[in-house]
C-alpha cells in the first residue's frame, strides 16, 4: 500500500491542496487503495479485460441500445431530432434485419475485447514478454495521461483514415466488398451502426486504430480505459443520426460527415474528424474548415476579438490622455 501512495506523482501532491478540497483528496486516496486491492485480488489480465468490457458497455452499448429503444419505441419523438427525419429511423429496416444488426454490433464489441485479452495472455503466458498495456499499482501522472490520450487520438485518426480509404474502399478488394455489403448497407446511421460491419473490417477500422496507439505508447490501463470511454462516446454521438448534439468539439460536423459517407456509399469522408480528408481532397459536403468557421461564428469569436481590441485601444487612449494632461499641467506649473 505504501508503494502505491509513494508512486503517486509528486506533482499531484503539490497541486492537490491548492486546487482540490479535502473530500476530493480522500476520494483519490480511496481510489488508490481500491485499485491496489483490486490488483492484489485479481490477475492483471482479468482486471484489464473486465475493465475494458465495463467501459465499452457503459459508454457505448447501453447508450446505443437506449437510443435504439427510443427510435423504435417512440418514433414520433425520435423523428424530430433525427438529421434525416423519418428516413433515419432504424425501424424502417424491419425487425428481422434490425435484430441481425444489433446482434452483429454487440458481437463485434465483444470480439474486440476478446482479441485484446488474447493478445495480452499470449504475450504474458507464452512469449513471456511484457503486456501491451501497463497494469501497475502506480497511478499515471496527469501529464502522462494527457500526453498518451492526445497522442493516441492523433495516431488513431491517421490509421483510421488510411485503413478506411486504402483497404476498405480499395477496388476489387474482398475487404471492400465485405465493408460495402455490411456497413455501407446502412444509409441512415444510428448508434449501433458504428460497430456494424464484417468482423474483420470492424477490427481493422475501429479496434486496430485504437489498440495499436495504446500499445505503442504502452499506456497505463486506466489511461487506456479513459481513452476508450472517450472514443466510445464519440462513436455513439457521431453515428447516432441525431441533429441535436454537443458541439463543443465539432461533434455535429463529425456526425454530418459520417452521414454523408453512408449516403454516398463511401465516396469520401474516411475519418469523422475530417482533417486528413481536407488535406487529401476526399471531403464530401462540408469539411473541417467549415466546422471551424461555424464554431467561430457561433461563439462570435470575431466580434468578441474586435470588442477586446476596441476596449484595449480605448483604455490605451485614456491612459495617453491622462499622461498628456499630467504633462501639460506640469509644464504650466513650471
Amino acid at each position: 500500500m505504501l508503494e502505491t501512495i509513494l508512486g503517486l506523482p509528486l506533482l499531484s501532491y503539490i497541486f492537490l491542496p491548492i486546487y482540490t478540497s479535502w473530500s476530493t483528496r480522500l476520494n483519490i486516496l480511496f481510489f488508490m487503495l481500491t485499485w491496489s486491492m483490486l490488483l492484489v485480488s485479481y490477475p492483471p489480465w482479468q482486471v484489464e479485460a473486465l475493465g475494458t468490457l465495463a467501459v465499452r458497455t457503459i459508454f457505448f452499448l447501453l447508450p446505443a441500445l437506449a437510443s435504439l429503444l427510443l427510435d423504435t419505441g417512440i418514433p414520433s419523438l425520435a423523428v424530430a431530432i433525427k438529421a434525416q427525419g423519418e428516413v433515419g429511423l432504424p425501424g424502417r429496416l424491419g425487425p428481422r434485419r434490425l435484430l441481425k444488426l444489433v446482434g452483429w454490433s454487440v458481437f463485434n464489441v465483444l470480439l474486440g475485447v476478446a482479441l485484446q485479452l488474447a493478445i495480452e495472455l499470449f504475450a504474458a503466458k507464452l512469449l513471456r514478454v511484457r503486456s501491451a498495456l501497463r497494469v501497475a499499482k502506480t497511478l499515471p501522472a496527469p501529464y502522462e495521461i494527457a500526453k498518451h490520450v492526445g497522442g493516441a487520438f492523433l495516431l488513431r485518426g491517421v490509421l483510421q483514415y488510411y485503413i478506411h480509404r486504402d483497404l476498405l474502399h480499395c477496388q476489387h478488394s474482398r475487404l471492400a466488398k465485405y465493408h460495402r455489403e455490411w456497413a455501407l448497407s446502412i444509409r441512415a446511421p444510428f448508434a449501433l451502426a458504428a460497430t456494424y460491419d464484417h468482423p474483420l473490417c470492424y477490427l481493422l477500422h475501429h479496434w486496430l486504430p485504437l489498440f495499436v496507439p495504446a500499445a505503442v505508447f504502452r499506456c497505463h490501463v486506466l489511461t487506456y480505459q479513459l481513452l476508450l470511454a472517450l472514443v466510445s462516446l464519440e462513436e455513439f454521438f457521431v453515428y447516432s443520426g441525431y441533429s441535436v448534439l454537443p458541439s463543443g468539439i465539432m461533434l455535429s460536423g463529425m456526425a454530418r460527415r459520417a452521414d454523408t459517407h453512408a449516403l454516398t456509399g463511401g465516396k469520401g469522408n474516411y475519418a469523422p474528424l475530417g482533417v486528413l480528408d481536407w488535406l487529401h481532397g476526399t471531403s464530401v459536403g462540408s469539411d473541417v474548415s467549415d466546422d471551424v468557421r461555424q464554431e467561430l461564428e457561433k461563439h462570435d469569436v470575431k466580434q468578441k476579438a474586435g470588442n477586446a481590441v476596441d476596449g484595449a485601444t480605448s483604455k490605451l487612449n485614456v491612459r495617453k490622455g491622462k499622461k498628456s494632461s499630467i504633462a501639460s499641467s506640469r509644464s504650466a506649473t513650471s
Side-chain angles (χ1 to χ4, degrees):
M1 196 65 64
L2 182 61
E3 178 187 355
T4 306
I5 296 176
L6 293 177
L8 188 66
L10 182 60
L11 189 62
S12 301
Y13 273 122
I14 293 174
F15 288 102
L16 274 176
I18 301 175
Y19 294 106
T20 63
S21 63
W22 279 104
S23 60
T24 304
R25 278 176 280 166
L26 288 175
N27 288 335
I28 294 175
L29 181 59
F30 176 74
F31 175 77
M32 291 166 52
L33 297 175
T34 305
W35 176 247
S36 298
M37 292 302 297
L38 193 65
L39 292 182
V40 170
S41 305
Y42 301 96
W45 63 265
Q46 192 170 348
V47 173
E48 178 183 337
L50 292 178
T52 301
L53 178 60
V55 168
R56 285 298 273 166
T57 301
I58 294 171
F59 291 97
F60 178 74
L61 286 179
L62 290 181
L65 290 171
S67 69
L68 180 61
L69 288 177
L70 172 65
D71 294 346
T72 56
I74 318 177
S76 58
L77 176 62
V79 73
I81 56 175
K82 280 288 184 178
Q84 298 186 35
E86 189 175 349
V87 177
L89 294 177
R92 293 173 60 88
L93 298 175
R96 184 174 180 179
R97 190 181 179 197
L98 187 58
L99 184 61
K100 175 185 176 182
L101 187 148
V102 172
W104 278 110
S105 298
V106 175
F107 172 80
N108 282 337
V109 172
L110 298 179
L111 177 63
V113 177
L115 181 58
Q116 177 182 332
L117 175 60
I119 290 174
E120 296 290 50
L121 287 176
F122 181 75
K125 302 294 184 181
L126 297 179
L127 298 182
R128 302 291 182 180
V129 296
R130 66 182 189 178
S131 59
L133 301 179
R134 195 170 79 254
V135 185
K137 293 181 181 180
T138 303
L139 299 181
Y143 73 88
E144 178 187 325
I145 294 174
K147 180 178 67 174
H148 286 174
V149 169
F153 258 115
L154 290 175
L155 186 53
R156 167 182 174 259
V158 172
L159 290 173
Q160 196 171 47
Y161 175 83
Y162 289 110
I163 288 173
H164 195 186
R165 189 192 70 176
D166 297 333
L167 293 181
L168 302 186
H169 286 279
C170 177
Q171 292 184 350
H172 311 299
S173 164
R174 186 172 294 274
L175 285 174
K177 179 175 180 293
Y178 290 152
H179 185 63
R180 184 171 58 252
E181 293 176 350
W182 288 60
L184 293 181
S185 66
I186 309 299
R187 294 303 176 93
F190 53 98
L192 279 173
T195 57
Y196 177 69
D197 205 344
H198 186 280
L200 185 56
C201 296
Y202 166 78
L203 292 176
L204 287 173
H205 185 204
H206 291 276
W207 180 84
L208 191 69
L210 180 62
F211 185 73
V212 166
V216 168
F217 293 112
R218 199 164 186 261
C219 296
H220 193 284
V221 67
L222 294 177
T223 303
Y224 173 73
Q225 288 169 1
L226 172 62
L227 174 66
L228 186 62
L230 295 175
V231 169
S232 298
L233 289 175
E234 176 200 296
E235 289 179 342
F236 168 73
F237 284 120
V238 168
Y239 288 89
S240 66
Y242 295 135
S243 58
V244 181
L245 294 172
S247 59
I249 54 173
M250 298 188 295
L251 277 177
S252 298
M254 295 166 69
R256 284 196 303 270
R257 280 187 288 277
D259 285 352
T260 306
H261 177 80
L263 286 170
T264 59
K267 299 298 183 182
N269 296 347
Y270 298 113
L273 189 58
V275 175
L276 287 175
D277 281 297
W278 177 65
L279 292 174
H280 287 287
T282 55
S283 297
V284 179
S286 62
D287 57 29
V288 67
S289 64
D290 297 323
D291 295 337
V292 173
R293 185 162 50 252
Q294 289 176 10
E295 285 291 326
L296 294 178
E297 291 174 355
K298 177 181 177 182
H299 297 289
D300 295 328
V301 173
K302 185 176 181 180
Q303 182 65 32
K304 291 178 180 178
N307 293 338
V309 172
D310 292 340
T313 304
S314 300
K315 290 180 180 179
L316 183 61
N317 291 334
V318 169
R319 290 177 182 175
K320 286 182 178 179
K322 288 181 178 180
K323 289 180 179 179
S324 299
S325 61
I326 292 172
S328 299
S329 61
R330 286 179 178 175
S331 62
T333 303
S334 61

